[in-house]
Amino acid sequence: MSSTLLKNFIHGRYVSHNDNTCFDVINPATGEIIYAVEAASEALLEQSLLSAQQGFIKWSKTPAIERARILQRAAAILRERNDELARVEVLDTGKPWQEAAVVDVQTGADAIEYFANLCPSMMGEQQSVGDDFFYTRHEPLGVCFGIGAWNYPLQIACWKAAAALAAGNSMIFKPSEETPRGATLLAEILIEAGVPAGVFNVVHGDGKVGNYMVEHPAIAKVSLTGEVGTGKKVMAAAAGTLKKVTMELGGKSPLIVFDDADIDEAVTGAMIGNFYTQGEVCTNGTRVFVHQDCYDAFLERLLERSKNNVIVGNPLDPKTNLGALISSSHMHKVLDYIQLGKDQGATLAFGGERIKPLGCENGFFVGPTIFTDCTDDMRITREEIFGPVMSVLKFATEDEVIQRANNSDFGLAAGVFCKDIRRAHRVIAQLEAGICWINAYGNSPVEMPVGGYKQSGIGRENGIEAFRSYTQTKSIYVGMNKLEGPF
Ligand code: NDP
């Protein structure tokens, strides 16, 4: 890979179109341009489609056990190259090294390994109907299109590729313009592991590139990770050809702390659910509902730990645990929300400012921010901010908090901290959210299906459900007696 110019990766190699349509990628921690990327032209997109169709023919005929072996090799290479890949993610996203080194590459490799192990054991069914019988085949869909967000670039590419490829599909992937390297390096690794050329291509560009592919009749399915607004556009574009869609979208998730909770643990959950990856996590529990009887104790501990334990700094420094936001414009969006919170009457209990760490003065850092005296109708408690901004809300009764937690168009995640196990399960059962945690927050092992209720998404990633979503069922009826008819 060129260190200064990243090209599209098609049919097992980097491809150039020489028409000079490039865009820059900026290191969010320094504000410096770190490399340029060639955007895919229409001709190149067509080339990627042709290649993916060829790749599909070969890959879908490859025995599942062989597909599994190849994908397992890819997972092993990802793990071997962990530090190099994690560094790429840190430079592209601004997230702390201490996270990327243990999460981003590893969870990507986990997904490839999990789906690789699953694919040889996915069987069809057979059933007798009188003398006749039928059987089912779970067949791949064809060429799928993955669209990635910028917060977990390599992990998102791995999650989508893992399920799609294990099921025998080929995939063309468009990473976010802001973080295009992770997916491209994955494409290299898949080739090195033995995946045939064309089975995983990467095309670069903005929403227009994405839209071209979403509308294209040669694409069988689209899987998007992005904002709700983008999801609506992508779904509308996919409707023209009635494509299958998986949508992993945004959220404004509730995290509920009951009065019997272990306060320190609940504070840990709230801090993970708001400050991990500097708040740029779709499942963040940004509406922290705290029971009135433990509110003061919770807040005291939260403020103390936010003040003493959060280290904002150069993301490559292993001590840093809160990095830079993805871009200058995103940082200003987050700062605007903080101003809005103050204007609408919330109390800024902590943080709320841009930070310029030593050596990273031009980076896009916002310190951990905590609002109290929030109400349910404030924009900071209704809209996804996607930065380290927590809103703390007080509640009195179980029924009240369930109703308030569900009062959102989003429905991605939810968390409950309490020791009463009956209450924990009773409350979770009533929450309108696809991913829920009890006395935990944020962990998402590949075995567990993840996805949103309401406007937070359609379909699921990970788990067996995701594998199925990359297949279509064919039923084959077999007549065992001479066919009689009325004609
Ligand atoms: P965006 O929705 O802005 O972008 C997501 C991707 O879609 C990018 O690659 C973008 O291209 C592309 N895109 C934009 N417009 C179109 C279009 N019309 N057709 C096809 N593709 C298009 O999201 P962000 O990148 O800003 O990521 C943050 C969002 O992602 C948050 O809302 C977050 O909650 C959500 N998210 C959801 C997750 C989940 O699993 N539910 C996980 C992670 C994030 P480009 O930006 O390059 O122009």
Side-chain angles (χ1 to χ4, degrees):
M1 183 180 79
S2 156
S3 59
T4 52
L5 182 64
L6 181 68
K7 296 176 182 170
N8 294 274
F9 192 95
I10 297 172
H11 219 68
R13 62 191 182 90
Y14 287 100
V15 179
S16 193
H17 52 56
N18 301 320
D19 73 357
N20 293 325
T21 357
C22 293
F23 57 90
D24 292 328
V25 173
I26 289 171
N27 177 351
T30 61
E32 286 164 4
I33 295 173
I34 41 177
Y35 59 98
V37 186
E38 275 193 2
S41 61
E42 211 172 293
L44 213 138
L45 293 175
E46 289 296 334
Q47 193 182 327
S48 78
L49 281 158
L50 205 63
S51 148
Q53 284 167 331
Q54 290 166 5
F56 173 69
I57 291 169
K58 203 163 179 186
W59 187 240
S60 57
K61 288 191 182 130
T62 304
I65 196 93
E66 176 63 10
R67 289 205 300 267
R69 218 173 281 134
I70 293 170
L71 292 172
Q72 278 154 357
R73 269 202 295 275
I77 299 170
L78 279 162
R79 291 210 170 89
E80 277 160 27
R81 290 174 61 179
N82 181 73
D83 286 8
E84 171 212 337
L85 296 165
R87 192 181 150 83
V88 164
E89 295 300 79
V90 172
L91 294 176
D92 277 14
T93 64
K95 67 172 62 190
W97 164 260
Q98 63 165 249
E99 289 183 17
V102 297
V103 172
D104 293 59
V105 189
Q106 298 297 322
T107 52
D110 283 354
I112 294 185
E113 194 168 24
Y114 170 79
F115 285 106
N117 290 338
L118 205 59
C119 78
S121 51
M122 295 305 283
M123 293 189 290
E125 284 123 25
Q126 185 276 341
Q127 189 172 340
S128 296
V129 189
D131 290 341
D132 297 349
F133 68 96
F134 72 87
Y135 63 94
T136 56
R137 287 165 53 91
H138 300 294
E139 298 181 344
L141 303 171
V143 181
C144 301
F145 183 51
I147 310 174
W150 42 255
N151 59 342
Y152 281 81
L154 175 67
Q155 185 210 60
I156 291 172
C158 285
W159 283 16
K160 292 189 192 305
L165 269 53
N169 301 280
S170 60
M171 174 167 265
I172 302 172
F173 191 87
K174 189 201 88 64
S176 162
E177 274 176 290
E178 276 152 325
T179 56
R181 270 192 298 189
T184 321
L185 290 168
L186 173 65
E188 271 187 27
I189 287 168
L190 288 167
I191 290 292
E192 187 186 333
V195 170
V199 173
F200 188 75
N201 294 331
V202 177
V203 294
H204 297 298
D206 59 11
K208 286 198 287 299
V209 165
N211 187 62
Y212 182 87
M213 300 297 266
V214 173
E215 285 184 340
H216 205 291
I219 298 287
K221 173 183 167 112
V222 178
S223 175
L224 165 78
T225 299
E227 291 176 3
V228 170
T230 310
K232 289 177 184 175
K233 283 189 213 154
V234 168
M235 231 180 126
T241 42
L242 279 179
K243 287 183 174 61
K244 292 168 182 54
V245 292
T246 298
M247 297 276 158
E248 294 292 337
L249 308 176
K252 190 76 193 175
S253 301
L255 188 158
I256 304 170
V257 182
F258 283 100
D259 52 352
D260 64 339
D262 178 320
I263 294 300
D264 221 32
E265 207 173 39
V267 168
T268 302
M271 289 179 76
I272 291 173
N274 280 272
F275 303 149
Y276 204 74
T277 319
Q278 52 288 331
E280 296 167 331
V281 180
C282 53
T283 50
N284 267 358
T286 44
R287 291 184 292 146
V288 180
F289 291 95
V290 185
H291 191 270
Q292 59 189 17
D293 291 349
C294 63
Y295 185 87
D296 291 345
F298 176 89
L299 200 61
E300 189 187 335
R301 194 75 184 108
L302 173 67
L303 292 174
E304 182 195 322
R305 286 178 55 185
S306 299
K307 194 171 152 201
N308 297 325
N309 299 355
V310 180
I311 303 167
V312 186
N314 184 342
L316 285 170
D317 182 337
K319 288 197 289 300
T320 295
N321 58 21
L322 196 132
L325 295 171
I326 189 69
S327 63
S328 169
S329 65
H330 188 56
M331 175 184 70
H332 286 293
K333 181 183 146 189
V334 172
L335 291 170
D336 286 350
Y337 267 112
I338 292 170
Q339 187 57 47
L340 198 64
K342 291 192 266 187
D343 293 346
Q344 292 197 322
T347 302
L348 180 62
F350 186 71
E353 282 171 358
R354 178 177 183 178
I355 292 186
K356 298 186 174 184
L358 194 65
C360 292
E361 289 80 0
N362 296 322
F364 314 128
F365 297 83
V366 173
T369 299
I370 298 164
F371 276 109
T372 55
D373 300 317
C374 301
T375 57
D376 295 349
D377 56 353
M378 287 174 178
R379 283 187 56 197
I380 57 163
T381 56
R382 300 206 65 77
E383 298 173 18
E384 184 181 48
I385 301 173
F386 225 54
V389 183
M390 182 191 308
S391 297
V392 186
L393 304 113
K394 206 184 271 186
F395 75 93
T397 70
E398 188 179 305
D399 286 347
E400 171 209 333
V401 78
I402 291 168
Q403 184 272 324
R404 289 172 65 192
N406 286 337
N407 183 19
S408 170
D409 290 335
F410 296 110
L412 189 59
V416 169
F417 279 84
C418 81
K419 289 192 188 127
D420 177 342
I421 55 163
R422 288 185 177 147
R423 175 154 68 185
H425 292 288
R426 184 171 65 230
V427 171
I428 285 289
Q430 294 173 79
L431 292 178
E432 296 162 355
I435 311 162
C436 296
W437 290 282
I438 296 174
N439 295 331
Y441 208 88
N443 197 14
S444 195
V446 64
E447 298 87 343
M448 183 172 97
V450 290
Y453 278 22
K454 299 195 275 190
Q455 292 193 22
S456 287
I458 293 177
R460 293 293 176 267
E461 261 181 348
N462 293 343
I464 292 170
E465 228 174 300
F467 188 93
R468 287 256 190 249
S469 78
Y470 280 97
T471 65
Q472 49 197 342
T473 304
K474 179 178 280 174
S475 297
I476 302 109
Y477 186 98
V478 182
M480 296 298 289
N481 294 312
K482 184 171 166 49
L483 185 64
E484 306 287 354
F487 312 109

